[in-house]
Amino acid sequence: MAKSTKSMIDIVNLSKSYSGPDGTVSALRDISISLDSGEFLAVQGPSGCGKSTLLFAAGTMLTPGSGTVNIDGKDPYIVSPDKRAEIRVRNIGFVFQEYFLIPYLNAYENILIPSLAVKNKNNKRETSAKKENQKRAAGLLKSFRLEGRKNHKASELSSGERQRTAIARALFNCPKILLADEPTGNLDRENEEIVLNYLQDFANQGGTVLMVTHSERAAGYASREIHIRNGKILN
């Protein structure tokens, strides 16, 4: 990916509230963030401050109460759910602390899962597309040093291998954006460094990374940081 200055995530005056047993809870209050291609932003703050709400709103999976979210110049919340899903599949990869791999599938099969979300409109190319997908998955296995674990089920992988598999899966559809929710929370120091280097490399190649983390060390890999408390940006 070549670097550019195109804004990939543009969030303006975003607010989101939830109804709780003790009344309304304001998760986000008038948040505005813009990320360009090649940026790696770390979002920090205490539990319950609104970090994950921000991430899911940016990921087109949580409708704002007010304000706007634009992904690569498109507002995913003014189109149909199918169109929104297409924007998400084409543009965004997700990496979570809990990995969310399918335990009875092997590493190779887990990496291939995103291929099921992309519809092939030309049936004549189905066989060719399948071969291309298999080649892509094999290449990602190699890139993430998982070739020797190809046929191991997710439940048989170490924590570091599971997270590397999850990142490979997130990259399968060549997204422009990676959204990471505490991606190193379950990892030891060595695997934390490996994962953060992958995220940093993705940004250095022109991708956009939005990472939520409690870790100061992890945040140090980002090109910039913001802190959220009580649903508001502090700096």
Side-chain angles (χ1 to χ4, degrees), residues 33-69:
I33 297 172
S34 182
L35 279 84
D36 295 335
S37 298
E39 278 201 275
F40 183 173
L41 174 66
V43 180
Q44 292 192 277
S47 298
C49 72
K51 302 187 304 297
S52 293
T53 297
L54 173 64
L55 197 76
F56 284 111
T60 78
M61 295 193 295
L62 187 63
T63 305
S66 62
T68 59
V69 175

Side-chain angles (χ1 to χ4, degrees), residues 3 7 14 18 27 117 158 165 216:
K3 282 198 174 184
S7 180
L14 175 65
Y18 301 99
S158 69
T165 302
E216 290 285 350

Side-chain angles (χ1 to χ4, degrees), residues 90-228:
R90 297 290 182 184
N91 291 282
I92 302 172
F94 294 88
V95 183
F96 298 99
Q97 179 178 355
E98 300 299 332
Y99 323 125
F100 293 118
L101 301 177
I102 297 178
Y104 55 83
L105 296 183
N106 61 38
Y108 175 74
E109 291 165 337
N110 267 285
I111 293 171
L112 270 172
I113 285 173
S115 68
L116 303 177
V118 179
K119 296 179 181 178
N120 185 4
K121 296 180 181 179
N122 185 347
N123 290 330
K124 292 181 180 180
R125 293 194 67 250
E126 185 173 353
T127 301
S128 176
K130 184 177 181 180
K131 290 181 179 178
E132 290 173 7
N133 289 337
Q134 291 171 341
K135 184 178 180 180
R136 171 77 175 153
L140 286 166
L141 278 169
K142 184 176 181 179
S143 296
F144 284 87
R145 295 183 284 173
L146 291 163
E147 289 173 294
R149 310 296 279 171
K150 174 181 178 179
N151 297 315
H152 288 72
K153 293 180 180 179
S155 57
E156 298 171 334
L157 302 175
S158 69
S159 294
E161 290 165 345
R162 291 179 192 179
Q163 192 60 291
R164 298 206 306 274
T165 302
I167 296 174
R169 179 188 59 189
L171 293 175
F172 183 87
N173 283 336
C174 301
K176 300 171 184 175
I177 298 165
L178 281 182
L179 301 181
D181 190 1
E182 299 288 356
T184 62
N186 289 331
L187 303 181
D188 58 28
R189 180 62 65 90
E190 180 181 357
N191 280 293
E192 177 187 39
E193 185 174 346
I194 290 170
V195 166
L196 291 168
N197 279 326
Y198 280 129
L199 296 180
Q200 197 173 59
D201 287 346
F202 179 78
N204 288 338
Q205 293 174 40
T208 301
V209 180
L210 175 57
M211 177 180 69
V212 163
T213 181
H214 282 101
S215 168
E216 290 285 350
R217 186 172 183 274
Y221 281 73
S223 53
R224 65 185 174 104
E225 303 174 33
I226 62 170
H227 291 76
I228 295 179

